[in-house]
Amino acid sequence: MGDRMNGVTAIILAAGKGSRMNSSTKKQFMELKGKPMIWYSLFAFEESPVNQIILVTGKEDITYCKKEIVKRYGFTKVTDIVAGGAERYESVANGLKKVNGDIVLIHDGARPLVTEEIIERCIQGARENGACVAGMPIKDTVKIVGTDNIIEATPDRRKVWITQTPQAFQYNILKTAYKNIRTATGPSITDDAMVVEQYTDHKVRFVNGDYCNIKITTPEDIKLAETLLENKR
Ligand code: CTP
Ligand code: MG
């Protein structure tokens, strides 16, 4: 592989099935205030200092994304639209193959409320620390629960954060981490920080996300997202 560009690449994930949404349209393409959900993430990154955007979507949705989203709305930073995999980490691995930059941001297409400020904090965090994720201290008390809803433990609330995206990394760290999981068996990996935590020696640091940077997961999140989008300046 040749020299890495001194630049920032965003991988935007839209290859999920959205099973918890229970909708005939995949959640990443459902309309929020008249635009497909994925538009909001693409717009935020297009307006940010990011140099390259890689969109990962279902094989069957590549043509739709190319014509009805990237071309139609004129997103000029999208260089590649690639097919995802069955698991989130496989979608990330497919996107990673097209990365030009030396800093990589991975973002859930199901988080339309991401802002330029969060994106900039993540880029800075990756430059300074090598690996960082957007998140916020939890507001509710969290319990660890066993069978029959029996509470087993109450972690110290001050030590519990909710994890958001973007998650940002120096390319080499992320590449090494993803290379290492390929040999492991049956990983149940729900975010990229886990991959770096478990498969490299690098420490991952939180930077502030935003309590409004929610992930759209279930039907009630749609109304909430529309309200939050309306109130966004
Ligand atoms: N994602 C992906 N490839 C996968 C699984 C998830 O690109 N194989 C993306 C989703 O499109 C979403 C983000 O990762 O933007 C976060 O995942 P999640 O919210 O869990 O979305 P889904 O997996 O689509 O939903 P569900 O888990 O309810 O099926
Ligand atoms: Mg999922």
PDB file of all heavy atoms in Angstrom, residues 12-21 27-28 38 56-57 84-92 107-111 165 190 215-218, ligand 1:
ATOM      1  N   ILE A  12     -19.441   5.863   6.639  1.00  0.00           N
ATOM      2  CA  ILE A  12     -20.807   5.988   7.147  1.00  0.00           C
ATOM      3  C   ILE A  12     -21.546   4.679   6.882  1.00  0.00           C
ATOM      4  O   ILE A  12     -21.617   4.198   5.740  1.00  0.00           O
ATOM      5  CB  ILE A  12     -21.521   7.199   6.517  1.00  0.00           C
ATOM      6  CG1 ILE A  12     -20.731   8.478   6.869  1.00  0.00           C
ATOM      7  CG2 ILE A  12     -22.965   7.301   7.019  1.00  0.00           C
ATOM      8  CD1 ILE A  12     -21.365   9.763   6.418  1.00  0.00           C
ATOM      9  N   LEU A  13     -22.066   4.106   7.963  1.00  0.00           N
ATOM     10  CA  LEU A  13     -22.650   2.764   7.900  1.00  0.00           C
ATOM     11  C   LEU A  13     -24.156   2.811   7.666  1.00  0.00           C
ATOM     12  O   LEU A  13     -24.891   3.418   8.448  1.00  0.00           O
ATOM     13  CB  LEU A  13     -22.377   2.020   9.209  1.00  0.00           C
ATOM     14  CG  LEU A  13     -20.907   1.781   9.534  1.00  0.00           C
ATOM     15  CD1 LEU A  13     -20.794   1.177  10.929  1.00  0.00           C
ATOM     16  CD2 LEU A  13     -20.272   0.884   8.490  1.00  0.00           C
ATOM     17  N   ALA A  14     -24.591   2.156   6.602  1.00  0.00           N
ATOM     18  CA  ALA A  14     -26.024   2.071   6.307  1.00  0.00           C
ATOM     19  C   ALA A  14     -26.325   0.720   5.685  1.00  0.00           C
ATOM     20  O   ALA A  14     -27.037   0.609   4.692  1.00  0.00           O
ATOM     21  CB  ALA A  14     -26.430   3.213   5.367  1.00  0.00           C
ATOM     22  N   ALA A  15     -25.750  -0.329   6.258  1.00  0.00           N
ATOM     23  CA  ALA A  15     -25.937  -1.670   5.701  1.00  0.00           C
ATOM     24  C   ALA A  15     -26.688  -2.591   6.663  1.00  0.00           C
ATOM     25  O   ALA A  15     -26.712  -3.802   6.475  1.00  0.00           O
ATOM     26  CB  ALA A  15     -24.581  -2.278   5.333  1.00  0.00           C
ATOM     27  N   GLY A  16     -27.318  -2.006   7.686  1.00  0.00           N
ATOM     28  CA  GLY A  16     -28.048  -2.828   8.644  1.00  0.00           C
ATOM     29  C   GLY A  16     -29.432  -3.204   8.145  1.00  0.00           C
ATOM     30  O   GLY A  16     -29.923  -2.662   7.154  1.00  0.00           O
ATOM     31  N   LYS A  17     -30.059  -4.131   8.853  1.00  0.00           N
ATOM     32  CA  LYS A  17     -31.404  -4.585   8.481  1.00  0.00           C
ATOM     33  C   LYS A  17     -32.480  -3.797   9.222  1.00  0.00           C
ATOM     34  O   LYS A  17     -33.661  -3.850   8.862  1.00  0.00           O
ATOM     35  CB  LYS A  17     -31.559  -6.076   8.809  1.00  0.00           C
ATOM     36  CG  LYS A  17     -30.628  -6.969   8.013  1.00  0.00           C
ATOM     37  CD  LYS A  17     -31.301  -7.482   6.740  1.00  0.00           C
ATOM     38  CE  LYS A  17     -30.379  -8.332   5.879  1.00  0.00           C
ATOM     39  NZ  LYS A  17     -29.568  -7.525   4.932  1.00  0.00           N
ATOM     40  N   GLY A  18     -32.107  -3.120  10.286  1.00  0.00           N
ATOM     41  CA  GLY A  18     -33.088  -2.337  11.037  1.00  0.00           C
ATOM     42  C   GLY A  18     -34.201  -3.178  11.630  1.00  0.00           C
ATOM     43  O   GLY A  18     -35.353  -2.743  11.691  1.00  0.00           O
ATOM     44  N   SER A  19     -33.866  -4.360  12.114  1.00  0.00           N
ATOM     45  CA  SER A  19     -34.922  -5.286  12.559  1.00  0.00           C
ATOM     46  C   SER A  19     -35.747  -4.738  13.725  1.00  0.00           C
ATOM     47  O   SER A  19     -36.951  -4.967  13.793  1.00  0.00           O
ATOM     48  CB  SER A  19     -34.313  -6.640  12.915  1.00  0.00           C
ATOM     49  OG  SER A  19     -33.204  -6.475  13.750  1.00  0.00           O
ATOM     50  N   ARG A  20     -35.135  -3.958  14.621  1.00  0.00           N
ATOM     51  CA  ARG A  20     -35.894  -3.444  15.768  1.00  0.00           C
ATOM     52  C   ARG A  20     -36.836  -2.310  15.391  1.00  0.00           C
ATOM     53  O   ARG A  20     -37.649  -1.871  16.201  1.00  0.00           O
ATOM     54  CB  ARG A  20     -34.916  -2.999  16.881  1.00  0.00           C
ATOM     55  CG  ARG A  20     -34.244  -4.168  17.588  1.00  0.00           C
ATOM     56  CD  ARG A  20     -33.122  -3.709  18.489  1.00  0.00           C
ATOM     57  NE  ARG A  20     -31.947  -3.277  17.730  1.00  0.00           N
ATOM     58  CZ  ARG A  20     -30.840  -2.781  18.273  1.00  0.00           C
ATOM     59  NH1 ARG A  20     -30.758  -2.634  19.580  1.00  0.00           N
ATOM     60  NH2 ARG A  20     -29.805  -2.430  17.516  1.00  0.00           N
ATOM     61  N   MET A  21     -36.739  -1.813  14.164  1.00  0.00           N
ATOM     62  CA  MET A  21     -37.629  -0.742  13.721  1.00  0.00           C
ATOM     63  C   MET A  21     -38.966  -1.289  13.213  1.00  0.00           C
ATOM     64  O   MET A  21     -39.969  -0.576  13.209  1.00  0.00           O
ATOM     65  CB  MET A  21     -36.944   0.082  12.633  1.00  0.00           C
ATOM     66  CG  MET A  21     -37.695   1.316  12.181  1.00  0.00           C
ATOM     67  SD  MET A  21     -38.072   2.456  13.524  1.00  0.00           S
ATOM     68  CE  MET A  21     -36.486   3.225  13.797  1.00  0.00           C
ATOM     69  N   LYS A  27     -34.617   1.307   7.993  1.00  0.00           N
ATOM     70  CA  LYS A  27     -34.671   2.543   8.798  1.00  0.00           C
ATOM     71  C   LYS A  27     -33.765   3.640   8.268  1.00  0.00           C
ATOM     72  O   LYS A  27     -34.122   4.813   8.326  1.00  0.00           O
ATOM     73  CB  LYS A  27     -34.398   2.260  10.274  1.00  0.00           C
ATOM     74  CG  LYS A  27     -32.970   1.922  10.618  1.00  0.00           C
ATOM     75  CD  LYS A  27     -32.771   1.815  12.134  1.00  0.00           C
ATOM     76  CE  LYS A  27     -31.337   1.431  12.454  1.00  0.00           C
ATOM     77  NZ  LYS A  27     -31.112   1.239  13.893  1.00  0.00           N
ATOM     78  N   GLN A  28     -32.593   3.274   7.711  1.00  0.00           N
ATOM     79  CA  GLN A  28     -31.650   4.310   7.253  1.00  0.00           C
ATOM     80  C   GLN A  28     -32.188   5.106   6.066  1.00  0.00           C
ATOM     81  O   GLN A  28     -31.679   6.177   5.763  1.00  0.00           O
ATOM     82  CB  GLN A  28     -30.277   3.690   6.927  1.00  0.00           C
ATOM     83  CG  GLN A  28     -30.263   2.554   5.922  1.00  0.00           C
ATOM     84  CD  GLN A  28     -30.432   1.199   6.574  1.00  0.00           C
ATOM     85  OE1 GLN A  28     -31.212   1.032   7.508  1.00  0.00           O
ATOM     86  NE2 GLN A  28     -29.706   0.207   6.081  1.00  0.00           N
ATOM     87  N   ILE A  38     -30.429   8.787   6.109  1.00  0.00           N
ATOM     88  CA  ILE A  38     -28.994   8.784   5.812  1.00  0.00           C
ATOM     89  C   ILE A  38     -28.507  10.144   5.293  1.00  0.00           C
ATOM     90  O   ILE A  38     -27.339  10.499   5.436  1.00  0.00           O
ATOM     91  CB  ILE A  38     -28.659   7.635   4.810  1.00  0.00           C
ATOM     92  CG1 ILE A  38     -27.159   7.393   4.684  1.00  0.00           C
ATOM     93  CG2 ILE A  38     -29.266   7.873   3.444  1.00  0.00           C
ATOM     94  CD1 ILE A  38     -26.513   6.873   5.922  1.00  0.00           C
ATOM     95  N   VAL A  56     -21.319   2.796   3.231  1.00  0.00           N
ATOM     96  CA  VAL A  56     -21.461   1.335   3.211  1.00  0.00           C
ATOM     97  C   VAL A  56     -22.942   1.016   3.302  1.00  0.00           C
ATOM     98  O   VAL A  56     -23.626   1.468   4.229  1.00  0.00           O
ATOM     99  CB  VAL A  56     -20.715   0.676   4.391  1.00  0.00           C
ATOM    100  CG1 VAL A  56     -20.772  -0.845   4.283  1.00  0.00           C
ATOM    101  CG2 VAL A  56     -19.270   1.141   4.461  1.00  0.00           C
ATOM    102  N   THR A  57     -23.441   0.261   2.340  1.00  0.00           N
ATOM    103  CA  THR A  57     -24.871  -0.052   2.347  1.00  0.00           C
ATOM    104  C   THR A  57     -25.099  -1.479   1.857  1.00  0.00           C
ATOM    105  O   THR A  57     -24.143  -2.173   1.485  1.00  0.00           O
ATOM    106  CB  THR A  57     -25.639   0.981   1.488  1.00  0.00           C
ATOM    107  OG1 THR A  57     -27.044   0.853   1.762  1.00  0.00           O
ATOM    108  CG2 THR A  57     -25.393   0.806   0.002  1.00  0.00           C
ATOM    109  N   GLY A  84     -21.987  -3.775   2.406  1.00  0.00           N
ATOM    110  CA  GLY A  84     -21.660  -4.143   3.775  1.00  0.00           C
ATOM    111  C   GLY A  84     -21.669  -5.643   3.967  1.00  0.00           C
ATOM    112  O   GLY A  84     -21.748  -6.410   3.005  1.00  0.00           O
ATOM    113  N   GLY A  85     -21.598  -6.069   5.224  1.00  0.00           N
ATOM    114  CA  GLY A  85     -21.633  -7.484   5.555  1.00  0.00           C
ATOM    115  C   GLY A  85     -22.759  -7.781   6.524  1.00  0.00           C
ATOM    116  O   GLY A  85     -23.539  -6.893   6.879  1.00  0.00           O
ATOM    117  N   ALA A  86     -22.839  -9.023   6.967  1.00  0.00           N
ATOM    118  CA  ALA A  86     -23.932  -9.444   7.845  1.00  0.00           C
ATOM    119  C   ALA A  86     -23.828  -8.792   9.226  1.00  0.00           C
ATOM    120  O   ALA A  86     -24.832  -8.472   9.855  1.00  0.00           O
ATOM    121  CB  ALA A  86     -23.931 -10.962   7.976  1.00  0.00           C
ATOM    122  N   GLU A  87     -22.612  -8.585   9.705  1.00  0.00           N
ATOM    123  CA  GLU A  87     -22.402  -7.951  11.012  1.00  0.00           C
ATOM    124  C   GLU A  87     -21.821  -6.561  10.803  1.00  0.00           C
ATOM    125  O   GLU A  87     -21.130  -6.310   9.825  1.00  0.00           O
ATOM    126  CB  GLU A  87     -21.417  -8.785  11.846  1.00  0.00           C
ATOM    127  CG  GLU A  87     -21.897 -10.182  12.190  1.00  0.00           C
ATOM    128  CD  GLU A  87     -23.124 -10.179  13.104  1.00  0.00           C
ATOM    129  OE1 GLU A  87     -23.282  -9.212  13.885  1.00  0.00           O
ATOM    130  OE2 GLU A  87     -23.902 -11.144  13.027  1.00  0.00           O
ATOM    131  N   ARG A  88     -22.050  -5.689  11.792  1.00  0.00           N
ATOM    132  CA  ARG A  88     -21.557  -4.322  11.685  1.00  0.00           C
ATOM    133  C   ARG A  88     -20.045  -4.289  11.437  1.00  0.00           C
ATOM    134  O   ARG A  88     -19.565  -3.538  10.598  1.00  0.00           O
ATOM    135  CB  ARG A  88     -21.906  -3.545  12.961  1.00  0.00           C
ATOM    136  CG  ARG A  88     -21.560  -2.056  12.907  1.00  0.00           C
ATOM    137  CD  ARG A  88     -21.846  -1.415  14.264  1.00  0.00           C
ATOM    138  NE  ARG A  88     -21.575   0.008  14.305  1.00  0.00           N
ATOM    139  CZ  ARG A  88     -20.369   0.546  14.391  1.00  0.00           C
ATOM    140  NH1 ARG A  88     -19.305  -0.244  14.404  1.00  0.00           N
ATOM    141  NH2 ARG A  88     -20.217   1.851  14.443  1.00  0.00           N
ATOM    142  N   TYR A  89     -19.293  -5.120  12.165  1.00  0.00           N
ATOM    143  CA  TYR A  89     -17.829  -5.049  12.005  1.00  0.00           C
ATOM    144  C   TYR A  89     -17.393  -5.484  10.614  1.00  0.00           C
ATOM    145  O   TYR A  89     -16.358  -5.052  10.110  1.00  0.00           O
ATOM    146  CB  TYR A  89     -17.098  -5.831  13.114  1.00  0.00           C
ATOM    147  CG  TYR A  89     -17.104  -7.333  12.954  1.00  0.00           C
ATOM    148  CD1 TYR A  89     -16.083  -7.984  12.268  1.00  0.00           C
ATOM    149  CD2 TYR A  89     -18.128  -8.101  13.478  1.00  0.00           C
ATOM    150  CE1 TYR A  89     -16.080  -9.358  12.113  1.00  0.00           C
ATOM    151  CE2 TYR A  89     -18.141  -9.469  13.335  1.00  0.00           C
ATOM    152  CZ  TYR A  89     -17.113 -10.100  12.641  1.00  0.00           C
ATOM    153  OH  TYR A  89     -17.112 -11.460  12.477  1.00  0.00           O
ATOM    154  N   GLU A  90     -18.201  -6.333   9.959  1.00  0.00           N
ATOM    155  CA  GLU A  90     -17.872  -6.726   8.581  1.00  0.00           C
ATOM    156  C   GLU A  90     -18.134  -5.565   7.616  1.00  0.00           C
ATOM    157  O   GLU A  90     -17.388  -5.363   6.651  1.00  0.00           O
ATOM    158  CB  GLU A  90     -18.709  -7.947   8.172  1.00  0.00           C
ATOM    159  CG  GLU A  90     -18.360  -9.187   8.982  1.00  0.00           C
ATOM    160  CD  GLU A  90     -19.300 -10.357   8.734  1.00  0.00           C
ATOM    161  OE1 GLU A  90     -20.541 -10.177   8.831  1.00  0.00           O
ATOM    162  OE2 GLU A  90     -18.795 -11.449   8.449  1.00  0.00           O
ATOM    163  N   SER A  91     -19.173  -4.795   7.897  1.00  0.00           N
ATOM    164  CA  SER A  91     -19.430  -3.600   7.084  1.00  0.00           C
ATOM    165  C   SER A  91     -18.275  -2.613   7.223  1.00  0.00           C
ATOM    166  O   SER A  91     -17.826  -2.024   6.238  1.00  0.00           O
ATOM    167  CB  SER A  91     -20.755  -2.935   7.510  1.00  0.00           C
ATOM    168  OG  SER A  91     -21.841  -3.800   7.259  1.00  0.00           O
ATOM    169  N   VAL A  92     -17.795  -2.443   8.455  1.00  0.00           N
ATOM    170  CA  VAL A  92     -16.664  -1.540   8.687  1.00  0.00           C
ATOM    171  C   VAL A  92     -15.435  -2.042   7.925  1.00  0.00           C
ATOM    172  O   VAL A  92     -14.745  -1.268   7.244  1.00  0.00           O
ATOM    173  CB  VAL A  92     -16.342  -1.426  10.193  1.00  0.00           C
ATOM    174  CG1 VAL A  92     -15.064  -0.622  10.422  1.00  0.00           C
ATOM    175  CG2 VAL A  92     -17.513  -0.794  10.951  1.00  0.00           C
ATOM    176  N   HIS A 107     -19.097   6.159  11.522  1.00  0.00           N
ATOM    177  CA  HIS A 107     -20.337   6.754  12.012  1.00  0.00           C
ATOM    178  C   HIS A 107     -21.544   5.904  11.621  1.00  0.00           C
ATOM    179  O   HIS A 107     -21.645   5.428  10.488  1.00  0.00           O
ATOM    180  CB  HIS A 107     -20.481   8.173  11.439  1.00  0.00           C
ATOM    181  CG  HIS A 107     -21.712   8.866  11.923  1.00  0.00           C
ATOM    182  ND1 HIS A 107     -21.919   9.205  13.249  1.00  0.00           N
ATOM    183  CD2 HIS A 107     -22.837   9.269  11.262  1.00  0.00           C
ATOM    184  CE1 HIS A 107     -23.098   9.788  13.376  1.00  0.00           C
ATOM    185  NE2 HIS A 107     -23.677   9.834  12.192  1.00  0.00           N
ATOM    186  N   ASP A 108     -22.467   5.748  12.563  1.00  0.00           N
ATOM    187  CA  ASP A 108     -23.724   5.051  12.301  1.00  0.00           C
ATOM    188  C   ASP A 108     -24.628   5.957  11.462  1.00  0.00           C
ATOM    189  O   ASP A 108     -24.982   7.056  11.919  1.00  0.00           O
ATOM    190  CB  ASP A 108     -24.475   4.773  13.613  1.00  0.00           C
ATOM    191  CG  ASP A 108     -23.770   3.768  14.498  1.00  0.00           C
ATOM    192  OD1 ASP A 108     -23.009   2.937  13.980  1.00  0.00           O
ATOM    193  OD2 ASP A 108     -24.015   3.813  15.727  1.00  0.00           O
ATOM    194  N   GLY A 109     -25.047   5.467  10.313  1.00  0.00           N
ATOM    195  CA  GLY A 109     -26.010   6.221   9.510  1.00  0.00           C
ATOM    196  C   GLY A 109     -27.331   6.424  10.237  1.00  0.00           C
ATOM    197  O   GLY A 109     -28.152   7.250   9.849  1.00  0.00           O
ATOM    198  N   ALA A 110     -27.536   5.695  11.312  1.00  0.00           N
ATOM    199  CA  ALA A 110     -28.758   5.803  12.106  1.00  0.00           C
ATOM    200  C   ALA A 110     -28.634   6.871  13.198  1.00  0.00           C
ATOM    201  O   ALA A 110     -29.459   6.937  14.106  1.00  0.00           O
ATOM    202  CB  ALA A 110     -29.088   4.442  12.717  1.00  0.00           C
ATOM    203  N   ARG A 111     -27.600   7.727  13.101  1.00  0.00           N
ATOM    204  CA  ARG A 111     -27.451   8.871  14.041  1.00  0.00           C
ATOM    205  C   ARG A 111     -27.493  10.174  13.255  1.00  0.00           C
ATOM    206  O   ARG A 111     -26.458  10.818  13.040  1.00  0.00           O
ATOM    207  CB  ARG A 111     -26.132   8.784  14.818  1.00  0.00           C
ATOM    208  CG  ARG A 111     -26.123   7.687  15.850  1.00  0.00           C
ATOM    209  CD  ARG A 111     -24.841   7.750  16.685  1.00  0.00           C
ATOM    210  NE  ARG A 111     -24.686   6.536  17.431  1.00  0.00           N
ATOM    211  CZ  ARG A 111     -25.214   6.329  18.652  1.00  0.00           C
ATOM    212  NH1 ARG A 111     -25.898   7.257  19.265  1.00  0.00           N
ATOM    213  NH2 ARG A 111     -25.040   5.166  19.241  1.00  0.00           N
ATOM    214  N   THR A 165     -21.504   7.430  18.164  1.00  0.00           N
ATOM    215  CA  THR A 165     -20.539   7.585  17.081  1.00  0.00           C
ATOM    216  C   THR A 165     -20.614   9.050  16.672  1.00  0.00           C
ATOM    217  O   THR A 165     -21.617   9.701  16.971  1.00  0.00           O
ATOM    218  CB  THR A 165     -20.852   6.680  15.855  1.00  0.00           C
ATOM    219  OG1 THR A 165     -22.025   7.148  15.196  1.00  0.00           O
ATOM    220  CG2 THR A 165     -21.009   5.227  16.247  1.00  0.00           C
ATOM    221  N   THR A 190     -20.077  -4.803  18.922  1.00  0.00           N
ATOM    222  CA  THR A 190     -21.110  -3.820  18.608  1.00  0.00           C
ATOM    223  C   THR A 190     -20.557  -2.433  18.332  1.00  0.00           C
ATOM    224  O   THR A 190     -21.299  -1.568  17.897  1.00  0.00           O
ATOM    225  CB  THR A 190     -22.141  -3.726  19.757  1.00  0.00           C
ATOM    226  OG1 THR A 190     -21.442  -3.494  20.979  1.00  0.00           O
ATOM    227  CG2 THR A 190     -22.950  -5.000  19.870  1.00  0.00           C
ATOM    228  N   LYS A 215     -29.240   7.372  18.630  1.00  0.00           N
ATOM    229  CA  LYS A 215     -29.337   6.388  17.550  1.00  0.00           C
ATOM    230  C   LYS A 215     -30.799   6.034  17.355  1.00  0.00           C
ATOM    231  O   LYS A 215     -31.496   5.729  18.318  1.00  0.00           O
ATOM    232  CB  LYS A 215     -28.528   5.129  17.872  1.00  0.00           C
ATOM    233  CG  LYS A 215     -28.578   4.126  16.717  1.00  0.00           C
ATOM    234  CD  LYS A 215     -27.420   3.146  16.736  1.00  0.00           C
ATOM    235  CE  LYS A 215     -27.542   2.146  17.858  1.00  0.00           C
ATOM    236  NZ  LYS A 215     -28.651   1.184  17.657  1.00  0.00           N
ATOM    237  N   ILE A 216     -31.232   6.075  16.110  1.00  0.00           N
ATOM    238  CA  ILE A 216     -32.611   5.722  15.790  1.00  0.00           C
ATOM    239  C   ILE A 216     -32.692   4.194  15.723  1.00  0.00           C
ATOM    240  O   ILE A 216     -32.067   3.574  14.858  1.00  0.00           O
ATOM    241  CB  ILE A 216     -33.046   6.325  14.432  1.00  0.00           C
ATOM    242  CG1 ILE A 216     -32.653   7.800  14.319  1.00  0.00           C
ATOM    243  CG2 ILE A 216     -34.540   6.128  14.220  1.00  0.00           C
ATOM    244  CD1 ILE A 216     -33.219   8.694  15.370  1.00  0.00           C
ATOM    245  N   THR A 217     -33.416   3.620  16.653  1.00  0.00           N
ATOM    246  CA  THR A 217     -33.434   2.156  16.757  1.00  0.00           C
ATOM    247  C   THR A 217     -34.853   1.596  16.682  1.00  0.00           C
ATOM    248  O   THR A 217     -35.108   0.631  15.963  1.00  0.00           O
ATOM    249  CB  THR A 217     -32.766   1.699  18.080  1.00  0.00           C
ATOM    250  OG1 THR A 217     -31.478   2.301  18.179  1.00  0.00           O
ATOM    251  CG2 THR A 217     -32.613   0.182  18.126  1.00  0.00           C
ATOM    252  N   THR A 218     -35.776   2.179  17.458  1.00  0.00           N
ATOM    253  CA  THR A 218     -37.150   1.673  17.515  1.00  0.00           C
ATOM    254  C   THR A 218     -38.120   2.764  17.045  1.00  0.00           C
ATOM    255  O   THR A 218     -37.737   3.934  16.950  1.00  0.00           O
ATOM    256  CB  THR A 218     -37.485   1.224  18.950  1.00  0.00           C
ATOM    257  OG1 THR A 218     -37.229   2.315  19.842  1.00  0.00           O
ATOM    258  CG2 THR A 218     -36.649   0.019  19.375  1.00  0.00           C
TER     259      THR A 218
HETATM  260  N1  CTP B   1     -24.909  -1.581  10.243  1.00  0.00           N
HETATM  261  C1  CTP B   1     -24.199  -1.953   9.087  1.00  0.00           C
HETATM  262  N2  CTP B   1     -24.004  -3.278   8.801  1.00  0.00           N
HETATM  263  C2  CTP B   1     -24.499  -4.234   9.614  1.00  0.00           C
HETATM  264  C3  CTP B   1     -25.214  -3.890  10.789  1.00  0.00           C
HETATM  265  C4  CTP B   1     -25.392  -2.538  11.082  1.00  0.00           C
HETATM  266  O1  CTP B   1     -23.766  -1.074   8.348  1.00  0.00           O
HETATM  267  N3  CTP B   1     -24.305  -5.512   9.284  1.00  0.00           N
HETATM  268  C5  CTP B   1     -25.140  -0.155  10.523  1.00  0.00           C
HETATM  269  C6  CTP B   1     -26.623   0.216  10.548  1.00  0.00           C
HETATM  270  O2  CTP B   1     -27.096   0.487   9.228  1.00  0.00           O
HETATM  271  C7  CTP B   1     -26.648   1.413  11.465  1.00  0.00           C
HETATM  272  C8  CTP B   1     -25.446   1.191  12.390  1.00  0.00           C
HETATM  273  O3  CTP B   1     -24.661   0.153  11.812  1.00  0.00           O
HETATM  274  O4  CTP B   1     -26.467   2.633  10.778  1.00  0.00           O
HETATM  275  C9  CTP B   1     -25.869   0.864  13.819  1.00  0.00           C
HETATM  276  O5  CTP B   1     -26.528  -0.388  13.861  1.00  0.00           O
HETATM  277  P1  CTP B   1     -27.988  -0.639  14.419  1.00  0.00           P
HETATM  278  O6  CTP B   1     -28.546   0.606  14.991  1.00  0.00           O
HETATM  279  O7  CTP B   1     -27.951  -1.872  15.228  1.00  0.00           O
HETATM  280  O8  CTP B   1     -28.800  -0.861  13.054  1.00  0.00           O
HETATM  281  P2  CTP B   1     -29.371  -2.224  12.478  1.00  0.00           P
HETATM  282  O9  CTP B   1     -28.391  -3.312  12.692  1.00  0.00           O
HETATM  283  O10 CTP B   1     -29.798  -1.929  11.082  1.00  0.00           O
HETATM  284  O11 CTP B   1     -30.692  -2.429  13.352  1.00  0.00           O
HETATM  285  P3  CTP B   1     -31.125  -3.742  14.200  1.00  0.00           P
HETATM  286  O12 CTP B   1     -29.944  -4.062  15.088  1.00  0.00           O
HETATM  287  O13 CTP B   1     -32.353  -3.311  14.924  1.00  0.00           O
HETATM  288  O14 CTP B   1     -31.384  -4.817  13.170  1.00  0.00           O
END
